[in-house]
Amino acid sequence: MTSKLYIHDINPNSLVNGPGTRAVVWVQGCSIGCPGCFNPGTHSKMSATDEGADPERLGRELGQLNVDGLTLSGGEPLEQPEAVSELIRSFRQVNPGTVLIFSGYAPQRIFASPAARSAILLADAVLAGPYVEGTDPSEIWNSKQLILVTDRIKPDTLTPERRMEVSFQSDDTLRLSGYPDKRLREIFSNLMKVGLSDD
């Protein structure tokens, strides 16, 4: 039986969420709640009446895009490990690209869960561990540990940078993605409050 994948957002063409051009899925739901998290809107879980996505169908759709790979972030992807596994398998059936997972789980927690372990073994690399906000760009992932499942993603392609992208959404909102520090997030938030002038 197919699981449902609860999704916060999807970017079919991102340049700041892993090496190359990537399709990015931010899942909905995270029980960790790291202070300073980039995506606090992803923390709450979907209710029982919310309709999730079919991960097999979504994987095929994303796999048909002209991308170098798939990135899963959130929220916490490994709180939906069965659906994430289905998504990755389906993506790989139509796209030879790499798969990268951002997880707030420490490696020990991942390895202790058979379902989470199975999910990461379908990926090429996992950046694992809770987010800890730092002030220096080199500290973006200082709390993370890189788990290389294959040699298809090189560690030097995951060097953290303060790169960002802003994109228009289908619901006429803007999405800020990448690794902005607190100051840059505040600037973006203030711009959103002011709005864009018609002059």
Side-chain angles (χ1 to χ4, degrees):
M1 183 175 127
T2 300
S3 304
K4 291 294 185 181
L5 182 65
Y6 295 100
I7 294 172
H8 178 77
D9 205 356
I10 296 173
N11 185 346
N13 190 348
S14 173
L15 295 171
V16 299
N17 287 281
T21 302
R22 308 189 70 79
V24 184
V25 177
W26 288 272
V27 304
Q28 184 68 35
C30 179
S31 62
I32 304 170
C34 302
C37 174
F38 294 166
N39 300 313
T42 65
H43 291 181
S44 63
K45 287 187 176 181
M46 294 289 195
S47 72
T49 58
D50 289 319
E51 183 179 347
D54 179 341
E56 291 185 9
R57 181 176 178 184
L58 179 60
R60 286 193 302 272
E61 291 172 355
L62 296 177
Q64 291 166 1
L65 299 172
N66 183 23
V67 293
D68 298 307
L70 170 67
T71 295
L72 294 165
S73 188
E76 175 49 59
L78 297 181
E79 289 187 2
Q80 302 182 60
E82 292 86 0
V84 162
S85 293
E86 289 179 30
L87 175 70
I88 296 171
R89 285 192 197 98
S90 181
F91 176 84
R92 287 202 183 281
Q93 287 175 0
V94 290
N95 192 304
T98 58
V99 176
L100 172 64
I101 298 175
F102 286 90
S103 173
Y105 284 8
Q108 297 87 340
R109 183 173 181 181
I110 295 172
F111 299 142
S113 164
R117 243 188 359 256
S118 294
I120 72 160
L121 289 174
L122 296 170
D124 294 287
V126 182
L127 276 163
Y131 173 71
V132 176
E133 190 167 28
T135 55
D136 188 283
S138 65
E139 297 176 351
I140 297 174
W141 296 334
N142 69 340
S143 60
K144 296 282 189 184
Q145 295 183 53
L146 177 60
I147 302 171
L148 290 175
V149 181
T150 73
D151 62 358
R152 299 180 68 218
I153 293 180
K154 305 302 179 191
D156 61 355
T157 65
L158 296 174
T159 302
E161 301 175 76
R162 289 287 183 200
R163 292 192 304 148
M164 295 171 294
E165 60 191 10
V166 178
S167 55
F168 284 99
Q169 297 303 102
S170 58
D171 61 357
D172 296 326
T173 60
L174 290 175
R175 179 206 298 117
L176 175 66
S177 182
Y179 309 102
D181 58 20
K182 185 176 181 180
R183 182 184 65 84
L184 291 172
R185 291 198 301 272
E186 287 174 354
I187 290 172
F188 182 78
S189 178
N190 289 335
L191 285 173
M192 292 300 292
K193 289 174 186 172
V194 171
L196 300 176
S197 171
D198 293 329
D199 298 335

